[in-house]
């Protein structure tokens, strides 16, 4: 009966399956069908009952009021039914009053619902569940907690419908203290083995950032349904451990649980975060094997997955095959071209949107401006920025301004970028000043970098990346004294630089390297390959650029540091562990080092390999000595 409603909730919520189950359970308890479904319990003919008829007629049959409530389309139609229930003595009927309460909540009339709830002489679990769920849905979280507290004090046992709702509120507010209290209540009433409640608790712990607690609870569950597995898989992806998401996905299938479209979207998103092409192909094959149609949601997720795994052509192939595409699908494809450095192709998609009667939104323009920024299309970016406001009447927000500052800054127009920041009327954030600081690093503009860094540190005084960026700018300029001061500030505040890591796909797995890493089981072979590779490149004219070792040390130490960068180790391992002439696919958590970028271009020539690198900002497709970024990143 509630299938259509549930599917709508699946597409609208961050944790769709929990919310959908909650709706189904409460709605089923109230015996209120969807608007487009017959009421099989009472076998009534669904007709529209005029408000005047309700006001003028006295009815003694409860079925009449049930029909009347179901036919209500707005608050104005609910009030006369409420009045007649009172006049005809039905206001104390728990069954009818719960239905009235539900309809008030359904149309977001929470104050009216609360007034009715307060006057109810008898409240059963359905009454409490509807009221608590209504406050949660309306975002009135304190009212939700207060009502739940009253529920406990009433002496009634909280049910399997209400506890997940309150748990989800803890998740949404990231109130870990309250979440743990709810967990204790679950144990107190012996509901700790309930799959539905445990899934909500796992999700809450994960969203509150305590992934270990989420996994501990997950492992303790004797029965895990598809919802629970999906929640845990999504939780690992959200906390940055996408590899564990894919491991869990494999385990889920080993337990005989077949993924549905919702779980497929979750694992596709996890694969996109990991950036592993071999996994992407396996997952896509599974989607096809299980005959899941690539609708707007799943299709868009697959586009994003292929794009973030380095195959823009595969992403476009999926995009072209999708029968239905919405503005999110178009924006995702435009964004994909942007971070792959194909700005012109991103711009070519824009007029096609209009031909397909898709109106661009804010995200579309962020994607377009980002594409212009990473392809050096300054004039085109300025035109898009004006078009957004003048034709589509979209007022730019801080994300649009950030793209513009990045666009101007990368092009060396630092003064123009700073003027835009100073004249904008929206609140400035970290991303905006970081874009300016990055531009200052490229062009070694120390004075403006100091201004940008000061603004950043006012917003985030304990973010080590801001100190590191300014320190590197000082080092690049040879200002070792100021660099030392910044490093000393970091030490005094106990701030540590984010370590750089590079992952490379090889032998059906993903291998992780850090600078100077000797932990890999094939470390000896990796360093031998790297040594011979460096010798071969130096014979071809490669000169290591020690400018990228930002420490005041000897040239010999600088060379040693450069040779052991994580990117170079990953390249060396890729060469010895993948078939000849196949692409080497890598991911870097930070920006690619400039010397490593040069190194990879030369390797692509002498080894006849394509190297695809996804760094923190964009993709680099290195082929025959040329990078897709055009050395503009």
């Amino acid at each position: 009966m509630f299938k259509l409603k549930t599917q709508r909730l699946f597409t609208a919520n961050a944790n769709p399956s929990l919310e959908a189950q909650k709706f189904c359970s409460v709605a089923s308890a109230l015996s209120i069908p969807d608007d487009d479904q017959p009421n099989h319990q009472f076998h009534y003919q669904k007709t529209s009952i005029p408000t005047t008829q309700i006001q003028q007629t006295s009815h003694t049959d409860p079925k009449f009021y049930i029909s009347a409530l179901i036919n209500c389309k707005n608050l104005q139609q609910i009030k006369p039914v409420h009045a007649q229930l009172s006049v005809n003595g039905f206001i104390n009927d728990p069954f009818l009053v719960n239905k009235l309460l539900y309809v008030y909540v359904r149309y977001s009339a929470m104050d009216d619902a609360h007034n009715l709830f307060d006057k109810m002489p008898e409240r059963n679990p359905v009454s409490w569940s509807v009221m608590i769920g209504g406050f949660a849905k309306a975002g009135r979280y304190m009212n939700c907690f207060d009502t739940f507290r009253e529920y406990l004090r009433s002496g009634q046992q909280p049910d399997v419908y209400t506890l997940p709702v309150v748990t989800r509120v803890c998740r949404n507010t990231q109130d870990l203290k309250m979440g743990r209290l709810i967990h204790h209540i679950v144990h107190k009433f012996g509901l700790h083995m309930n799959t539905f409640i445990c899934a909500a608790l796992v999700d809450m712990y994960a969203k509150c950032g305590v992934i270990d607690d989420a996994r501990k609870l997950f492992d303790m569950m004797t029965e895990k349904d598809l919802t629970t597995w999906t929640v845990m898989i999504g939780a690992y992806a959200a906390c940055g451990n996408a590899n564990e998401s894919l491991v869990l996905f494999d385990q889920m299938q080993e337990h005989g649980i077949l993924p549905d479209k919702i779980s497929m979207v979750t694992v596709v998103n996890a694969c996109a975060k990991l950036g592993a092409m071999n996994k992407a192909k396996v997952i896509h094959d599974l989607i096809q094997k299980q005959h899941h149609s690539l609708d707007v949601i799943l299709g868009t997720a697959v586009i994003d997955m292929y794009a973030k795994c380095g195959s823009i052509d595969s992403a476009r192939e999926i995009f072209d095959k999708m029968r239905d595409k919405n503005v999110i699908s178009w924006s995702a494809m435009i964004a994909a071209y942007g971070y792959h450095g194909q700005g012109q192709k991103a711009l070519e998609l824009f007029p096609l949107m209009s031909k397909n009667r898709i109106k661009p939104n804010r995200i579309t323009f962020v994607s377009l401006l980002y594409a212009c920024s990473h392809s050096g299309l300054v004039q085109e970016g300025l035109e898009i920025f004006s078009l957004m406001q003048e034709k589509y009447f979209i007022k730019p927000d801080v994300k649009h301004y950030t793209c513009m500052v990045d666009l101007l800054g990368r092009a060396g127009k630092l003064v123009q970028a700073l003027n835009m920041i100073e004249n904008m009327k929206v609140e400035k954030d970290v991303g905006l000043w970081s874009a300016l600081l990055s531009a200052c690093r490229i062009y070694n503009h120390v004075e403006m970098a100091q201004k940008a860094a000061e603004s950043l540190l006012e917003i985030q005084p304990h973010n080590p990346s801001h100190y590191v960026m300014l320190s590197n700018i000082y080092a690049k300029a040879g200002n070792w004294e100021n660099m030392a001061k910044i490093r000393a500030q970091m030490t005094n505040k106990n701030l540590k630089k984010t370590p750089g890591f590079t992952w490379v796909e090889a032998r059906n797995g993903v291998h992780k390297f850090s600078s100077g890493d000797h932990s890999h089981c094939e470390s000896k072979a990796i360093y031998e390959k790297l040594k011979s590779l460096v010798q071969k490149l130096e014979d071809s004219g490669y000169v290591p650029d020690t400018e990228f070792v930002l420490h005041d040390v000897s040239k010999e130490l600088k060379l040693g540091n450069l040779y052991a960068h994580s990117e170079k180790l990953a390249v060396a391992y890729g060469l010895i562990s993948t078939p000849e002439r196949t692409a080497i696919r890598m991911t870097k958590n930070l920006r690619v080092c400039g010397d490593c970028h040069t190194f990879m271009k030369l390797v692509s020539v002498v080894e006849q390999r394509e190297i695809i690198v996804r760094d923190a900002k964009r993709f680099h497709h290195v082929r025959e000595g040329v990078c897709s970024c055009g050395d503009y990143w």
Side-chain angles (χ1 to χ4, degrees):
M1 184 185 297
F2 301 97
K3 185 178 180 182
L4 294 176
K5 186 80 71 175
T6 303
Q7 287 175 341
R8 292 186 211 115
L9 285 165
F10 276 171
T11 63
N13 291 281
N15 189 357
S17 45
L18 293 184
E19 187 66 19
Q21 291 180 51
K22 166 64 183 166
F23 176 86
C24 293
S25 303
V26 175
S28 180
L30 292 172
S31 300
I32 296 180
D34 281 348
D35 293 339
D36 53 352
Q37 298 288 334
N39 187 319
H40 298 294
Q41 180 177 350
F42 296 106
H43 303 287
Y44 72 92
Q45 174 116 20
K46 185 173 177 181
T47 56
S48 180
I49 302 175
T51 303
T52 53
Q53 181 182 338
I54 295 171
Q55 292 172 330
Q56 295 171 3
T57 309
S58 176
H59 290 275
T60 58
D61 186 354
K63 296 179 184 179
F64 171 81
Y65 296 104
I66 293 166
S67 296
L69 287 170
I70 291 169
N71 279 287
C72 289
K73 301 298 182 185
N74 52 53
L75 183 59
Q76 287 69 34
Q77 293 179 2
I78 302 171
K79 295 284 189 180
V81 184
H82 187 172
Q84 281 295 305
L85 284 169
S86 299
V87 169
N88 294 320
F90 287 103
I91 199 64
N92 292 327
D93 183 323
F95 187 71
L96 286 175
V97 175
N98 277 341
K99 290 183 179 294
L100 176 60
L101 183 68
Y102 174 81
V103 175
Y104 271 131
V105 167
R106 184 180 184 185
Y107 289 101
S108 302
M110 291 309 302
D111 290 335
D112 292 293
H114 201 190
N115 289 333
L116 174 63
F117 182 78
D118 283 342
K119 295 174 183 177
M120 290 175 67
E122 180 184 343
R123 299 168 183 162
N124 60 24
V126 172
S127 315
W128 290 102
S129 186
V130 171
M131 201 67 227
I132 291 168
F135 278 132
K137 184 179 178 182
R140 293 170 60 170
Y141 298 138
M142 289 308 300
N143 293 114
C144 179
F145 285 139
D146 290 343
T147 307
F148 181 69
R149 190 178 293 110
E150 287 182 49
Y151 187 16
L152 295 177
R153 289 172 178 172
S154 73
Q156 298 186 55
Q157 177 173 327
D159 56 31
V160 296
Y161 311 124
T162 307
L163 283 166
V165 170
V166 182
T167 303
R168 188 168 182 237
V169 171
C170 297
R171 182 204 74 170
N172 291 344
T173 57
Q174 294 192 346
D175 190 339
L176 181 59
K177 184 178 180 181
M178 181 64 78
R180 292 194 188 280
L181 181 60
I182 299 299
H183 195 173
H184 287 310
I185 292 169
V186 168
H187 270 279
K188 179 180 178 181
F189 288 100
L191 297 171
H192 55 283
M193 300 305 290
N194 181 274
T195 303
F196 188 24
I197 293 174
C198 283
L201 287 168
V202 168
D203 189 43
M204 180 274 298
Y205 280 127
K207 295 300 190 299
C208 288
V210 281
I211 191 69
D212 291 340
D213 287 4
R215 182 59 185 267
K216 182 179 179 181
L217 178 58
F218 176 83
D219 289 339
M220 289 173 60
M221 294 174 66
T222 55
E223 294 184 11
K224 304 180 185 74
D225 62 7
L226 178 59
T227 298
T228 312
W229 282 97
T230 303
V231 165
M232 197 68 234
I233 290 167
Y236 270 117
C239 77
N241 191 351
N243 191 54
E244 188 62 24
S245 291
L246 299 180
V247 170
L248 275 179
F249 182 67
D250 291 340
Q251 291 177 2
M252 181 186 83
Q253 294 176 91
E254 289 171 4
H255 281 74
I257 297 178
L258 295 177
D260 62 2
K261 191 167 287 189
I262 304 303
S263 56
M264 288 308 310
V265 170
T266 303
V267 77
V268 163
N269 289 334
C271 188
K273 291 190 175 185
L274 184 63
M277 177 57 75
N278 57 339
K279 284 289 187 180
K281 290 178 179 178
V282 170
I283 290 168
H284 189 196
D285 287 343
L286 181 61
I287 291 171
Q288 293 175 317
K289 183 180 179 180
Q290 295 187 346
H291 306 293
H292 290 304
S293 60
L294 291 180
D295 59 11
V296 169
I297 297 174
L298 183 55
T300 302
V302 173
I303 289 170
D304 186 58
M305 175 183 72
Y306 271 126
K308 289 180 178 174
C309 289
S311 180
I312 190 69
D313 292 336
S314 296
R316 182 58 187 265
E317 184 180 346
I318 297 297
F319 178 82
D320 289 338
K321 286 181 178 179
M322 285 174 62
R323 177 178 293 181
D324 297 314
K325 296 186 277 283
N326 64 7
V327 66
I328 300 174
S329 313
W330 284 88
S331 299
M333 194 66 236
I334 290 170
Y337 276 127
Y339 53 74
H340 277 272
Q342 299 185 28
Q344 286 293 351
K345 288 189 177 181
L347 294 179
E348 288 169 7
L349 280 180
F350 186 51
L352 291 178
M353 287 184 68
S354 299
K355 288 183 180 179
N356 285 271
R357 298 182 180 179
I358 302 293
K359 185 178 180 180
N361 62 13
R362 291 180 173 274
I363 302 301
T364 309
F365 284 104
V366 169
S367 300
L368 287 165
L369 293 172
Y370 184 92
C372 291
S373 171
H374 283 268
S375 297
L377 303 175
V378 178
Q379 189 57 42
E380 291 86 344
L382 292 169
E383 290 172 2
I384 289 288
F385 190 64
S386 298
L387 186 70
M388 174 182 76
Q389 301 171 73
E390 296 170 5
K391 181 177 179 179
Y392 294 97
F393 306 105
I394 295 177
K395 188 176 180 180
D397 59 27
V398 69
K399 291 183 179 178
H400 299 108
Y401 279 111
T402 299
C403 289
M404 290 304 297
V405 168
D406 194 48
L407 172 71
L408 295 170
R410 287 175 185 276
K413 301 179 183 295
L414 296 176
V415 175
Q416 193 173 341
L418 182 59
N419 288 339
M420 178 171 281
I421 291 175
E422 292 175 340
N423 293 325
M424 60 188 278
K425 295 180 180 178
V426 300
E427 185 176 354
K428 303 170 182 62
D429 68 358
V430 169
L432 185 79
W433 288 112
S434 294
L436 182 63
L437 187 59
S438 294
C440 293
R441 175 193 54 77
I442 295 171
Y443 293 98
N444 205 26
H445 198 306
V446 177
E447 184 179 345
M448 194 177 293
Q450 289 175 322
K451 178 179 177 61
E454 288 171 3
S455 299
L456 275 171
L457 294 176
E458 285 180 11
I459 303 171
Q460 288 186 339
H462 299 292
N463 189 328
S465 64
H466 307 328
Y467 294 89
V468 171
M469 180 76 81
L470 183 58
S471 170
N472 289 348
I473 290 171
Y474 282 137
K476 188 176 179 181
N479 191 336
W480 303 111
E481 183 178 349
N482 281 343
M483 188 210 79
K485 289 180 181 178
I486 295 295
R487 295 284 180 174
Q489 289 181 35
M490 291 182 65
T491 302
N492 293 336
K493 295 183 179 183
N494 199 28
L495 301 177
K496 296 182 179 179
K497 177 184 176 181
T498 303
F501 295 107
T502 303
W503 293 261
V504 60
E505 285 186 61
R507 294 173 181 165
N508 294 319
V510 178
H511 302 258
K512 179 180 176 182
F513 294 92
S514 60
S515 183
D517 200 342
H518 284 83
S519 63
H520 196 278
C521 60
E522 297 183 60
S523 182
K524 183 178 179 180
I526 291 169
Y527 275 92
E528 287 177 355
K529 177 63 178 178
L530 183 58
K531 183 178 179 181
S532 66
L533 191 59
V534 169
Q535 184 61 55
K536 189 186 296 185
L537 295 184
E538 288 180 345
D539 291 341
S540 300
Y542 167 60
V543 178
D545 192 346
T546 56
E547 179 184 326
F548 291 98
V549 179
L550 302 174
H551 299 283
D552 189 15
V553 295
S554 67
K555 184 175 180 180
E556 288 74 19
L557 285 175
K558 287 186 176 185
L559 287 172
N561 285 330
L562 276 179
Y563 289 148
H565 274 193
S566 62
E567 295 98 315
K568 294 186 176 72
L569 295 176
V571 167
Y573 182 66
L575 290 171
I576 65 173
S577 59
T578 58
E580 291 185 6
R581 298 188 178 277
T582 59
I584 297 174
R585 299 178 181 274
M586 309 192 323
T587 302
K588 177 77 186 285
N589 65 326
L590 304 176
R591 179 181 176 273
V592 169
C593 158
D595 179 69
C596 290
H597 190 260
T598 302
F599 177 86
M600 287 185 286
K601 288 196 295 183
L602 293 172
V603 169
S604 71
V605 175
V606 299
E607 296 287 335
Q608 290 295 293
R609 293 287 199 108
E610 179 182 6
I611 302 174
I612 301 171
V613 187
R614 168 183 165 187
D615 72 7
K617 294 291 185 180
R618 59 170 299 148
F619 272 88
H620 301 264
H621 294 260
V622 185
R623 188 185 297 116
E624 296 180 357
V626 178
C627 182
S628 60
C629 72
D631 297 335
Y632 188 86
W633 87 101

